Amino acid sequence: APGIITQADLLTPLLPQLTARGDTFVIRTYGESTGGDGGKTRAWCEATVQRFPEYLDPADAPAVAATSKINKLFGRRFEVVAFHWLQPSDI
């Protein structure tokens, strides 16, 4: 028996049962612009994004490696499920 167990040693027997997963995460961003009069405009927004196990192009099954050119370039499908502008007091 090997003295060291690697991640590959554990995952290889599980490969037939593994599937891609979905996630939900929040992205917050900030932008600022300076006008000709020297004033600044600031804006904050927040988006909740969900990643799906399916590829963007349904030509490939979720459990296999991407073969479609679109799927190789863009990967899994994402969807913005919520978006809103934030006030400075929300930060």
Side-chain angles (χ1 to χ4, degrees):
I4 298 173
I5 297 175
T6 67
Q7 186 177 19
D9 294 332
L10 297 174
L11 291 178
T12 300
L14 299 174
L15 284 177
Q17 285 76 35
L18 292 177
T19 60
R21 63 186 175 96
D23 292 321
T24 301
F25 52 94
V26 176
I27 300 171
R28 270 193 178 181
T29 189
Y30 164 78
E32 185 175 297
S33 174
T34 304
D37 62 355
K40 288 186 180 179
T41 301
R42 296 180 178 137
W44 297 265
C45 68
E46 181 176 276
T48 303
V49 179
Q50 186 173 4
R51 178 177 61 182
F52 291 91
E54 297 86 25
Y55 285 108
L56 191 60
D57 178 4
D60 296 324
V64 298
T67 58
S68 160
K69 184 177 179 178
I70 292 172
N71 292 338
K72 286 181 179 180
L73 186 61
F74 296 109
R76 306 292 175 173
R77 186 168 66 90
F78 288 82
E79 184 176 317
V80 177
V81 294
F83 177 88
H84 62 275
W85 294 101
L86 301 172
Q87 300 299 320
S89 61
D90 296 332
I91 306 302

